[in-house]
Amino acid sequence: MYAFAADPALPKPALYRELLSAADALTAGESDAVANMANLAALLFQLVPDLNWAGFYRLVGGELVLGPFCGKPACIRIALGQGVCGTAAATGETQLVEDVHAYPGHIACDADSRSELVVPIVRDGAVVAVIDLDSPTPARFDADDQAGIEALAALVATRV
Ligand code: SME
């Protein structure tokens, strides 16, 4: 058992420093990508407030395929360029969506989701997966969340 905890009153930069430290401790000595993604999804869901879904989509055979996550069962395959995740994977750029209902092509896996943050994981210059966070609160994510999850993506790029 790993008991990571963060004070919900922490400012976001401090929260993400805690998250990165815990993520590093959890994954540093483990080479199994599925185990690492599973623990990272659990860690995100536990430490980042106000989420209804947190997890991974992996680039497999030219499309995104669902990876380890916490939340409701989700869409299994997403074409590159489709939805928020497919756009992040196709462009290699983070997608920060304040209102998913206003995002053309948004794929609704959980009707509770109102805002979304998707960060590509890049290894050797190529996108290999994305980290997807969904929140039931509109405009839940900001530049601090983006910076924190982008730092996480860089940290774990060789471990997932
Ligand atoms: N909303 C995403 C699909 C994945 S779920 O949110 C888990 C999208 O538009 O790509």
Side-chain angles (χ1 to χ4, degrees):
M1 188 197 84
Y2 299 95
F4 295 106
D7 180 351
L10 276 180
K12 285 184 182 181
L15 173 77
Y16 283 108
R17 279 196 294 277
E18 297 280 325
L19 178 79
L20 251 67
S21 165
D24 190 28
L26 269 175
T27 59
E30 179 51 62
S31 61
D32 189 276
V34 173
N36 285 338
M37 284 187 280
N39 262 339
L40 290 167
L43 188 69
L44 284 162
F45 207 62
Q46 187 185 350
L47 291 194
V48 180
D50 198 21
L51 300 181
N52 60 307
W53 204 92
F56 294 83
Y57 279 89
R58 301 155 300 125
L59 197 58
V60 181
E63 64 182 341
L64 289 175
V65 182
L66 182 64
F69 68 93
C70 291
K72 290 181 182 168
C75 333
I76 298 171
R77 293 176 187 270
I78 298 174
L80 283 186
Q82 297 299 301
V84 188
C85 292
T87 300
T91 61
E93 289 176 6
T94 294
Q95 303 294 304
L96 197 165
V97 181
E98 293 194 343
D99 177 2
V100 297
H101 295 153
Y103 190 95
H106 169 255
I107 301 164
C109 290
D110 182 341
D112 289 343
S113 298
R114 295 297 311 279
S115 56
E116 185 161 0
L117 175 65
V118 181
V119 174
I121 299 177
V122 178
R123 185 163 66 228
D124 299 329
V127 174
V128 294
V130 301
I131 300 172
D132 182 13
L133 302 182
D134 286 34
S135 171
T137 302
R140 154 70 182 79
F141 304 105
D142 61 16
D144 286 337
D145 298 292
Q146 176 171 347
I149 301 302
E150 286 178 345
L152 177 67
L155 173 73
V156 302
T158 58
R159 303 176 187 178
V160 300

